[in-house]
Each structure stands twice: as structure tokens, then as C-alpha cells.
Amino acid sequence: INNHFIQPKNWLAIVNIFDDFSPNYDCNLRIHPGLVDSWPNLSNIQTLGGPKFVPIRKSLSRNVQRVANNHLEIIVTAGGSDAQGFVGAVATELFKSKEDFKVALVTNQEIESGLDNRFTKVLIGSNFDNILKKADLVFSTASTTSLEFIAHGCVVGVGCAVPNQRAIYKKLGDLGVAMPIGVLHDDKWQLDSEII
């Protein structure tokens, strides 16, 4: 927080997009993009929070024409880098099922090669919205990405990868808008295979 580059004397205004674990940066406005509306103001810094501040892409709309499928279409993503291996862990659980489905594994990590032809690795890019149009079910980490899927009208299962996802993981389950499927504990995913 003491870095010279981010000091108020260098900027006309500073906006801090924060979560529970962010330091108290010297700023003009704080925004929490999540499900919690009420945050304490710090030193007369205006603080805004709640679902209306979640950055949801305009291309994600409930009015998008869904594509009919002959089988269940599933997306598994950690919202980008997947540093904790969420996609591979969920893929391993899905592989145990004999159901007829197609899974798009959206990750930049290596995926176990023993998966069958139901699984396809997909890189994040412009084709993601086309994949989402076909999705019946999405597994995602409990981040703002999961909120995008919920806003799109998808059935969502969420995992908790890092401490700043705990609150949203619990809240989504409590609200009944997503199904909590497991947490990362001591660098190992503890997933509920029955729920998955």
C-alpha cells in the first residue's frame, strides 16, 4: 500500500475494487463486486457493494437463444488461469460417471490425458460465448465468474479455491442459486462426488 505509483498525489482519483482480504488502500472510492451490499466506510471513503457492481459482460444475456442438445453439455472453468487445478479435479470426478454428456474444460493448465472423448479442452477466448449458449450445467470456482453464469441462467456448481471465495461460496449455497461442490484444503480438492 505504500508503493509510490499508487499514491493519491499521482492521480486525479483512485478506485479500489476490493474483497475481504484487500488492504485499505488510500483511495477516493471503494467498490466490492459481490453479494454483500453493506461495507463499512473507511475514513470518509465512499464504499459501494453488492450484486449491481459485479462486472457482467453484456454478451451474457438470458435472452440469448439456447441451443438444443441431444446430451448434457457441461462447462468446467476456474475463470481463467486455474492455478489451483479446479478444472482437472472436477473432470476426474465427472470421468467416473457413465452418463452421456459433453464437457468443455476451460483452462490453460495441462489436463490428465486419460479422459475419454466426452471431454474437450477449450482455451478462453471469443468462442466461449458460443460454448455457453449450449451449456446445461457449469462448474466454476466461487468468483465473479460464477455470478456471470448465474446471471446467464445456468445451473451452477461452485468450488472454493482461495480464502477470498469463502463468503460467496457459502452465500450462493445459502441462497440456493448455486450448489457448493467442495473446497481446496491443504492443496488438495475435497469434492463431493455425489453432488457432482
Side-chain angles (χ1 to χ4, degrees):
I1 64 174
N2 296 319
N3 184 292
H4 175 72
F5 180 76
I6 62 172
Q7 298 310 308
K9 66 182 179 183
N10 297 322
W11 303 98
L12 179 61
I14 298 173
V15 176
N16 177 14
I17 299 174
F18 74 100
D19 65 23
D20 309 32
F21 296 88
S22 298
N24 293 325
Y25 291 104
D26 193 355
C27 60
N28 304 90
L29 174 67
R30 295 181 344 134
I31 300 175
H32 182 272
L35 299 178
V36 178
D37 296 23
S38 179
W39 290 88
N41 286 332
L42 301 175
S43 305
N44 298 323
I45 300 169
Q46 185 176 7
T47 302
L48 305 172
K52 68 182 178 181
F53 297 103
V54 174
I56 296 176
R57 294 174 290 137
K58 287 187 177 189
S59 63
L60 292 179
S61 167
R62 287 183 196 219
N63 300 324
V64 172
Q65 186 80 23
R66 286 204 24 88
V67 176
N69 307 309
N70 295 331
H71 51 267
L72 187 66
E73 292 277 345
I74 302 171
I75 295 173
V76 183
T77 182
S81 64
D82 192 23
Q84 290 79 23
F86 176 76
V87 173
V90 173
T92 299
E93 291 300 320
L94 289 171
F95 178 72
K96 296 173 186 176
S97 171
K98 301 303 178 202
E99 298 295 324
D100 182 26
F101 52 70
K102 295 288 182 188
V103 183
L105 303 171
V106 184
T107 182
N108 62 1
Q109 299 294 320
E110 291 299 317
I111 297 295
E112 181 183 326
S113 59
L115 299 175
D116 57 42
N117 63 358
R118 298 176 295 173
F119 298 83
T120 305
K121 182 177 174 181
V122 177
L123 295 177
I124 290 182
S126 59
N127 65 340
F128 185 73
D129 287 347
N130 291 329
I131 295 168
L132 186 56
K133 287 179 190 176
K134 296 189 249 179
D136 298 302
L137 171 62
V138 177
F139 292 103
S140 174
T141 51
S143 61
T144 54
T145 302
S146 65
L147 298 178
E148 284 191 287
F149 296 130
I150 292 166
H152 185 67
C154 294
V155 174
V156 178
V158 290
C160 181
V162 291
N164 68 352
Q165 293 178 352
R166 285 184 193 136
I168 193 168
Y169 176 78
K170 182 176 179 343
K171 185 78 167 179
L172 291 175
D174 290 348
L175 291 172
V177 296
M179 181 62 73
I181 63 166
V183 299
L184 185 68
H185 184 70
D186 291 333
D187 295 327
K188 183 171 172 119
W189 279 99
Q190 297 177 346
L191 299 174
D192 188 325
S193 57
E194 289 299 314
I195 291 175
I196 292 172

